[in-house]
Amino acid sequence: MATAVTTPPDHQSAPFSEAAGPCAMVLFGASGDLTKRKLAPALFNLAKVSLLPKNFAILGVAIEQLGDEQFRTQVSSFLPAEDRDTEAWDWFQQRLYYQCGDFADPGTYSTVASRLSQLDQQYQTEGNYLFYLATSPKFFASIIEKLGITELSQQQNGRWRRVIIEKPFGHDYDSARALNRQIKAVLAENQIYRIDHYLGKETVQNILVFRFDNSIFEPIWNRRYIDHVQITNAETVGVEQRGGYFDTAGTLRDMVPNHVMQLLSLIAMESPVSFHADAVRNEQAKVLHAMQPLASEDVLQCSLRGQYAEGFVGDERVPAYRTEPGVSSESRTETFVALKLDIDNWRWVGVPFYLRTGKRLAKRHTEIAIQFKKTPFVLFRNAPVHKHSNQLVIQIQPVEGISLSFGAKIPGPILRVGSVDMSFEYSKYFGAAAYTGYEVLLYDCMIGDATLFQRADMVEAGWSVVDPVLDVWKALPPRRFPNYAAGTWGPKECDDLLQRDGREWRKIE
Ligand code: BG6
């Protein structure tokens, strides 16, 4: 992540620093859904703010039969209409090229190699290549193996070769380790950029700034002052067109070892000694390793799974998970997960982290709530008190901001205490941002900054927390699925997870 100190009000026009150095990008999966929804808009957003390299070209690779011109037309259809008639688009589209090819065919890679040599000459990209694997995970290892065989992965004479790998990275601890082994047989760790798009979100990156660029929070950021932490990641969408993938994965695999663990590690990590990639990631890895994988006998007590039945999300009637396209009518795959996890280190021992994430919930909402302890002595115990507590809430989406709630005297002749908020909203302070979240990740990879990417040990640590739950759940299939109606906050037993500890989930309005 490039750093620059900016102050309002002109922060919008200069979000990063300077254009990346020369390179060509090969986009495997160029006509897929990710390219359409995120990568093409993100690359074009970078072009608009002149952060793509001046010497740059993109070679899309996919199985569809397209020529360069058709690819340009396709990419333009992925962008908002108002962007297509601009100078930036003219510049960008001239650099778009396409190669039809089967990822499993070695011939594809020799063709890619010769097209890259042409692009090197045409655009002076200096033999620096960024390969983006926006493909099904079943191709990850074999694409990388073939990049090795054709020497496309070889860094020599000052030229770099980097590979961005999408999620899911493995489907459990063993498969993630095996995949790491396979790709490390070809690539050095510093060539591998394992992406987690949550790290591209402004508010997620802001956790680091909030914690480590302010002196007032860190002294209270520990077990002496914090009672517990709640991470909520609620989606209103169902499985959309991804039923086939999702039914073999489930919410635990889909969301927890990656996105939720990223949020948790940023909240719980120690201060890094510098803002270099490995300094930051060392601290994230340490805290992930300090998370106690649940013992099998504790799994049922500390975890909960759910699957949605039909229901209403807002005014819209939506179908049950089991009737979604691509999903088995007897599916036992979970679409909701809640977990209670502990971190065994000096800072956090005794502070539970409660996590919940699910699809077809009542509201789209991602937040991290830090619940502080009660005052040691209740001075106003005889005053009519609206229940209040000190809670710091970091809102990730859709509203992006931070709020702190505390008790205040309600005006009037009688002493009454109420709960009030101090809050900061990104859009009010900085204006609405039109970014997808992938811009910073693509740019960082081009400049060789891996801070916002996952290292092998972090991915494996995430899976090692999830694995025992997967094992117990597999051995003891759910008895009562579906167990929540779409449009609610998940199975009602989810409340028990906290009530047993004398706590409750934060109400999300
Ligand atoms: C993806 C998951 O990684 O993240 C999806 O595979 C999920 O199932 C998505 O919907 C959530 O991302 P966001 O940015 O919408 O919170």
Side-chain angles (χ1 to χ4, degrees):
M1 185 173 17
T3 47
V5 179
T6 57
T7 44
D10 195 25
H11 32 259
Q12 282 282 298
S13 53
F16 305 94
S17 30
E18 54 190 37
C23 76
M25 175 171 173
V26 180
L27 185 48
F28 289 105
S31 49
D33 190 52
L34 185 70
T35 304
K36 175 176 172 184
R37 287 185 306 110
K38 303 287 183 183
L39 301 179
L43 285 161
F44 185 61
N45 283 340
L46 286 173
K48 284 198 289 192
V49 289
S50 307
L51 289 172
L52 285 182
K54 290 190 179 52
N55 302 335
F56 183 63
I58 296 179
L59 179 64
V61 183
I63 194 76
E64 280 74 16
Q65 300 276 354
L66 297 177
D68 295 337
E69 270 315 321
Q70 285 165 305
F71 182 54
R72 287 170 191 154
T73 308
Q74 187 179 72
V75 171
S76 84
S77 73
F78 299 159
L79 304 179
E82 66 273 15
D83 278 342
R84 294 180 210 152
D85 199 15
T86 56
E87 261 179 50
W89 169 248
D90 279 347
W91 182 90
F92 185 68
Q93 61 122 9
Q94 287 165 18
R95 287 161 177 76
L96 293 175
Y97 294 86
Y98 185 82
Q99 179 60 50
C100 159
D102 177 349
F103 304 142
D105 174 8
T108 302
Y109 300 81
S110 25
T111 319
V112 165
S114 63
R115 292 211 62 186
L116 282 170
S117 315
Q118 288 161 17
L119 294 174
D120 271 343
Q121 298 204 344
Q122 199 173 339
Y123 293 96
Q124 282 85 50
T125 48
E126 298 182 6
N128 298 322
Y129 304 149
L130 161 52
F131 300 97
Y132 198 122
L133 311 194
T135 67
S136 155
K138 68 177 184 228
F139 295 118
F140 293 167
S142 91
I143 293 179
I144 291 173
E145 187 196 10
K146 293 187 184 69
L147 293 178
I149 294 169
T150 44
E151 298 189 358
L152 278 167
S153 61
Q154 252 184 43
Q155 314 200 91
Q156 268 174 4
N157 309 326
R159 67 185 191 202
W160 56 258
R161 304 287 160 93
R162 299 179 189 136
V163 181
I164 299 185
I165 306 175
E166 265 296 332
K167 73 173 273 271
F169 196 94
H171 57 268
D172 58 12
Y173 177 74
D174 287 340
S175 56
R177 271 181 74 106
L179 182 54
N180 272 329
R181 258 198 313 276
Q182 285 168 306
I183 64 180
K184 283 168 140 193
V186 178
L187 302 167
E189 181 63 39
N190 66 9
Q191 294 178 275
I192 309 170
Y193 288 68
R194 298 173 194 79
I195 205 163
D196 182 319
H197 77 278
Y198 267 53
L199 291 174
K201 295 182 191 281
E202 288 293 347
T203 35
V204 175
Q205 292 163 38
N206 189 44
I207 297 172
L208 286 170
V209 178
F210 178 78
R211 289 193 56 202
F212 303 126
D213 198 46
N214 293 296
S215 62
I216 56 177
F217 304 111
E218 208 44 32
I220 55 170
W221 209 258
N222 56 54
R223 69 190 152 80
R224 280 186 291 284
Y225 297 93
I226 294 178
D227 180 73
H228 72 276
V229 177
Q230 296 183 13
I231 300 181
T232 298
N233 183 300
E235 298 186 89
T236 48
V237 290
V239 288
E240 300 181 293
Q241 308 316 316
R242 300 160 69 229
Y245 148 73
F246 192 88
D247 209 33
T248 60
T251 291
L252 183 60
R253 288 188 171 94
D254 187 46
M255 296 297 289
V256 178
N258 34 64
H259 308 327
V260 177
M261 286 298 158
Q262 290 301 327
L263 299 179
L264 188 148
S265 65
L266 294 173
I267 286 293
M269 69 194 267
E270 297 299 316
S271 168
V273 291
S274 75
F275 199 52
H276 286 121
D278 274 332
V280 174
R281 297 187 302 173
N282 285 344
E283 296 306 332
Q284 283 183 278
K286 266 196 233 165
V287 82
L288 289 171
H289 281 121
M291 297 197 62
Q292 283 312 297
L294 295 170
S296 321
E297 59 276 20
D298 295 333
V299 166
L300 294 183
Q301 181 81 353
C302 296
S303 72
L304 180 87
R305 56 196 147 160
Q307 187 193 77
Y308 61 82
E310 68 174 333
F312 282 89
V313 173
D315 294 335
E316 191 196 346
R317 174 175 276 286
V318 295
Y321 174 71
R322 286 178 177 178
T323 62
E324 299 270 20
V327 172
S328 149
S329 58
E330 291 174 4
S331 174
R332 290 168 162 176
T333 301
E334 79 287 352
T335 59
F336 179 95
V337 174
L339 290 173
K340 175 186 172 187
L341 295 172
D342 291 315
I343 299 177
D344 273 5
N345 64 18
W346 276 47
R347 187 189 282 265
W348 294 115
V349 72
V351 180
F353 282 69
Y354 300 100
L355 324 172
R356 58 178 166 168
T357 175
K359 295 200 179 289
R360 288 286 192 224
L361 298 183
K363 201 171 172 200
R364 176 167 183 250
H365 189 94
T366 302
E367 67 164 42
I368 303 163
I370 315 287
Q371 175 67 57
F372 290 93
K373 290 189 170 165
K374 294 201 176 82
T375 51
F377 167 65
V378 190
L379 182 60
F380 303 110
R381 73 166 70 84
N382 296 327
V385 177
H386 288 276
K387 199 167 153 202
H388 89 83
S389 58
N390 291 133
Q391 224 171 35
L392 181 89
V393 181
I394 300 176
Q395 289 158 332
I396 309 287
Q397 61 190 18
V399 175
E400 301 181 309
I402 297 179
S403 68
L404 177 68
S405 60
F406 54 95
K409 180 180 175 300
I410 300 172
I414 299 167
L415 180 69
R416 290 180 303 150
V417 180
S419 182
V420 296
D421 280 340
M422 277 198 301
S423 64
F424 147 71
E425 247 181 61
Y426 258 76
S427 60
K428 289 193 185 140
Y429 208 76
F430 296 111
Y435 293 110
T436 64
Y438 277 76
E439 290 81 358
V440 67
L441 300 172
L442 287 162
Y443 176 77
D444 279 2
C445 182
M446 287 174 198
I447 63 168
D449 182 345
T451 312
L452 297 178
F453 291 85
Q454 301 190 83
R455 235 173 26 193
D457 54 342
M458 294 163 69
V459 173
E460 290 172 16
W463 279 114
S464 70
V465 175
V466 162
D467 252 24
V469 182
L470 288 172
D471 290 345
V472 172
W473 283 4
K474 188 172 171 202
L476 301 171
R479 270 179 276 156
R480 215 176 48 79
F481 265 13
N483 60 352
Y484 70 98
T488 64
W489 280 104
K492 74 176 179 23
E493 296 81 7
C494 185
D495 291 340
D496 302 343
L497 191 69
L498 272 75
Q499 273 164 11
R500 277 199 295 269
D501 298 340
R503 301 181 173 111
E504 57 185 35
W505 289 105
R506 217 176 83 78
K507 298 260 172 312
I508 292 166
E509 308 294 336

